[in-house]
Amino acid sequence: MPVIPEPINRLAEELRRLPGVGPKTAQRLAFHLVVSGKESMDKLIHALEEARDKVGYCSVCGNLTDIDPCGVCGDQKRDESLLCVVAYPKDVIAIERAGGYRGFYHVLHGYIEPLKGIGPEEIRVRELVSRVEAPGSKIREVILATNPDIDGETTALYLAKALKPSGVKVTRLARGLPFGADLDYADEVTLAKSMETRREIT
């Protein structure tokens, strides 16, 4: 006869799918949720359902949002001449948290990773180029804020080449970020300074 009830095992298995959650942590979380009581679990279930049903992607930048366009794209006080390109929605949060940047964003939803069979067609490169080249576009500078690692550099170089015919200035975050770093884990001061001292890609 199993020591752990099967519903708790199934809950732990689902929790293990979350990034950074191992078997023991998943089991502890499952027990905590069950022991916390029905009211607490109902609140979690409601929050999950709300996130599932109400959160989608902004039709302009591709960021996660519960309104379309998102709050950033709908902000008329932001600088229309600047467009910051990031890989994931969490990177937008990191840059906003650092402060100082008042332009708009474009979320790629991934990196170009040839070894994994991920090419430019699998991420939002076409949408980026179309956005920059659209009639009436006021974009004058595209800031490539991809991670300073192999995939980030590969993607940045490809994007710089793809954007060259448009004539916009293409810049890259400065080397305040160590190679192999993740934007999401960079401290606010380092990230803000990297944005301030960005360099042009020629």
Side-chain angles (χ1 to χ4, degrees):
M1 191 167 179
V3 177
I4 302 173
E6 190 54 32
I8 294 181
N9 274 329
R10 284 200 295 270
L11 177 57
E13 280 301 310
E14 291 304 316
L15 291 169
R16 277 189 66 183
R17 298 173 186 268
L18 298 173
V21 177
K24 289 184 178 179
T25 301
Q27 194 175 78
R28 279 197 301 271
L29 288 171
F31 273 108
H32 171 77
L33 289 169
V34 172
V35 172
S36 66
K38 187 177 184 304
E39 185 180 348
S40 181
M41 285 196 77
D42 283 345
K43 287 181 179 178
L44 175 62
I45 291 167
H46 177 70
L48 288 169
E49 288 176 339
E50 192 172 36
R52 179 196 65 196
D53 298 337
K54 294 185 178 180
V55 176
Y57 295 114
C58 175
S59 59
V60 179
C61 71
N63 195 17
L64 290 172
T65 181
D66 60 343
I67 56 172
D68 192 21
C70 70
V72 172
C73 289
D75 186 352
Q76 297 182 351
K77 294 180 180 178
R78 298 187 79 106
D79 187 345
E80 294 181 277
S81 70
L82 296 174
L83 185 65
C84 182
V85 180
V86 298
Y88 301 107
K90 64 184 177 67
D91 300 327
V92 173
I93 296 170
I95 293 171
E96 286 293 291
R97 190 173 57 223
Y101 177 70
R102 293 297 300 162
F104 290 92
Y105 293 94
H106 184 88
V107 184
L108 295 169
H109 292 286
Y111 286 111
I112 296 172
E113 299 181 71
L115 294 178
K116 293 182 180 178
I118 302 173
E121 299 78 18
E122 280 70 49
I123 60 175
R124 300 181 69 247
V125 174
R126 189 183 305 107
E127 291 86 345
L128 171 63
V129 175
S130 296
R131 210 173 153 188
V132 172
E133 295 181 345
S137 171
K138 295 180 181 178
I139 299 167
R140 297 291 172 266
E141 181 182 353
V142 175
I143 304 164
L144 303 178
T146 53
N147 283 340
D149 56 19
I150 296 297
D151 295 333
E153 292 295 327
T154 299
T155 304
L157 289 172
Y158 182 90
L159 294 178
K161 186 176 180 181
L163 291 168
K164 194 168 186 179
S166 69
V168 297
K169 182 180 180 180
V170 180
T171 58
R172 185 91 170 94
L173 292 187
R175 287 293 185 197
L177 294 169
F179 190 81
D182 191 312
L183 290 183
D184 192 35
Y185 296 108
D187 66 271
E188 286 88 345
V189 175
T190 300
L191 192 51
K193 184 58 69 177
S194 295
M195 180 67 77
E196 286 175 17
T197 56
R198 58 188 181 271
R199 56 184 173 79
E200 186 171 2
I201 298 179
T202 55

